[in-house]
Amino acid sequence: LKVVSPQGPLLGDAFKASRLEVSLPRGGRLVMVEPAWSDLTLSREPNAAWQLGLHVASLSARSVSLQWVAAPGPPSTTPPTQLDLPVAVRIDRLKVARFASNLLEPEVIEQLDATVRLQASAGGTSGAPAHSVTLAHLEVAGWTVSGQGSLVTRGQMAVSATLQAQQLKPGDTLPVGRALLTLNGPLAKLAASGEVGLRAMAGGQEQTLSWQGDLQPFESWPISRLDVRARDLDLARVWPHWPQTRLNGLVKVIRTVPTQRPGQATLPARLHALLDVSNVAAGRWDQGLVPVSRLLGDIWLDERRGTAQSAAVWGRRGSISLQANLVAAQAKGAVPVLRLDGPWNLDAAEQTS
């Protein structure tokens, strides 16, 4: 920990500094420019392992940058048994004018305003503590976001989160875009749903993107079910770095479980993706468009189980039946069609090479 030009006591009415740097594992770093806090106090907190609570009335910074270095190797597929912290933390008002991180590049979060509770009493019948965040405001890529979320730290570790977003343009009183995301359920199996709506252009209907799915973050493939539907969707209006489109159609993803039949080998888990999407605004990449006007077909991926020390692998075996209508080289030329059909097996290719 390095503090530059500190002023005031750490505990008490007010503290500020010109810069605060924290060294993180594996060479990572957290840097706060012009950090300040007020009314920092310590108290006894029965929900925390160390019986210690930290309360801050307000915590602010002109900018925060986070350089995170992930641990080597594949992520763990073992669900945690608890997510308790040794110290309870309560921040009544957290304000950061600008937040940048390698985890978010190239985007930057601005005007963050939130309330944070860590290792606080969750109430209800379980009696287990919880972590929670109430987000009053943040801005990213033209969207203004608010919402709240909580995570119980023990048992099934129930999650409940809702985020709302609006997209405004200078001079507009009504949002040109809206978005909603919800997550609910135990941490090991979450139900997710959401929708993006974009105000219609002259003479058109509202552009929408909706989705529903089940997430299993500690499985080898974290999406066990997904249903995505688009209507007249321009991806460039959702996120500025994406190409211009006008998408209609659906994408469905379903993960099957391994099955055992009498007298036969166990069939592996499979991932089935069904695609039926059209794009009437197709064009060349160098024009900021996507050179595909229709995508139709199925993709199957087989799971290959690893050893106890390695994660399962997806995609080395599977099959595909996919048709893509591409953009013609000339305006009146025939529409070129790309077809992919058949199985593949990279394991067999390695064994014979």
Side-chain angles (χ1 to χ4, degrees), residues 51-66:
Q51 300 285 296
L52 181 64
L54 177 68
H55 175 219
V56 184
S58 68
L59 171 62
S60 64
R62 184 162 65 89
S63 70
V64 175
S65 63
L66 170 65

Side-chain angles (χ1 to χ4, degrees), residues 170-185:
D172 281 352
T173 57
L174 295 176
V176 297
R178 58 176 179 82
L180 175 68
L181 171 65
T182 63
L183 288 172
N184 289 286

Side-chain angles (χ1 to χ4, degrees), residues 164-331:
Q164 306 95 16
Q166 290 188 337
Q167 194 180 54
L168 288 168
K169 289 187 175 181
D172 281 352
T173 57
L174 295 176
V176 297
R178 58 176 179 82
L180 175 68
L181 171 65
T182 63
L183 288 172
N184 289 286
L187 181 61
K189 188 174 183 180
L190 295 166
S193 64
E195 184 178 52
V196 174
L198 302 173
R199 190 198 301 172
M201 297 301 183
Q205 59 183 349
E206 183 186 41
Q207 301 180 25
T208 61
L209 175 70
S210 62
W211 63 89
Q212 292 184 336
D214 296 325
L215 306 179
Q216 296 177 278
F218 304 103
E219 293 289 335
S220 58
W221 184 271
I223 302 174
S224 57
R225 180 185 66 86
L226 181 64
D227 187 311
V228 181
R229 297 174 185 267
R231 185 183 69 189
D232 286 341
L233 183 69
D234 182 0
L235 290 176
R237 291 187 59 191
V238 178
W239 211 254
H241 302 291
W242 292 348
Q244 298 178 45
T245 61
R246 189 176 171 187
L247 301 178
N248 287 278
L250 61 88
V251 175
K252 289 188 175 184
V253 177
I254 298 176
R255 180 186 183 274
T256 66
V257 298
T259 55
Q260 175 69 61
R261 296 179 179 177
Q264 298 182 12
T266 301
L267 296 176
R270 303 196 80 193
L271 191 72
H272 178 209
L274 169 66
L275 302 92
D276 186 357
V277 181
S278 65
N279 174 28
V280 297
R284 297 186 342 225
W285 282 118
D286 59 0
Q287 297 174 333
L289 305 171
V290 177
V292 179
S293 61
R294 181 78 188 276
L295 198 60
L296 177 65
D298 297 85
I299 301 174
W300 292 87
L301 302 180
D302 293 342
E303 180 189 42
R304 185 187 71 178
R305 277 293 175 188
T307 64
Q309 291 78 31
S310 64
V313 177
W314 290 88
R316 295 187 64 83
R317 293 196 304 264
S319 62
I320 187 171
S321 177
L322 190 66
Q323 173 180 311
N325 294 353
L326 307 179
V327 173
Q330 299 178 357

Side-chain angles (χ1 to χ4, degrees), residues 17-22 29-36 59-66 94-101 108-112:
S18 62
R19 188 179 180 91
L20 186 150
E21 299 181 8
V22 180
R29 193 167 71 152
L30 175 71
V31 178
M32 302 178 69
V33 177
E34 296 183 9
L59 171 62
S60 64
R62 184 162 65 89
S63 70
V64 175
S65 63
L66 170 65
L94 172 64
K95 297 191 71 175
V96 177
R98 185 180 189 274
F99 176 81
S101 172
V108 173
I109 290 176
E110 297 181 307
Q111 305 306 321
L112 170 66

Side-chain angles (χ1 to χ4, degrees), residues 21-106:
E21 299 181 8
V22 180
S23 296
L24 301 175
R26 298 173 294 276
R29 193 167 71 152
L30 175 71
V31 178
M32 302 178 69
V33 177
E34 296 183 9
W37 57 78
S38 64
D39 297 326
L40 191 154
T41 58
L42 300 177
S43 62
R44 183 179 179 277
E45 178 52 68
N47 284 322
W50 294 354
Q51 300 285 296
L52 181 64
L54 177 68
H55 175 219
V56 184
S58 68
L59 171 62
S60 64
R62 184 162 65 89
S63 70
V64 175
S65 63
L66 170 65
Q67 183 70 27
W68 179 256
V69 180
S76 173
T77 57
T78 302
T81 57
Q82 52 83 21
L83 291 171
D84 287 315
L85 296 176
V87 176
V89 177
R90 190 176 87 194
I91 305 174
D92 294 337
R93 189 78 180 273
L94 172 64
K95 297 191 71 175
V96 177
R98 185 180 189 274
F99 176 81
S101 172
N102 62 313
L103 301 176
L104 300 174
E105 289 177 344

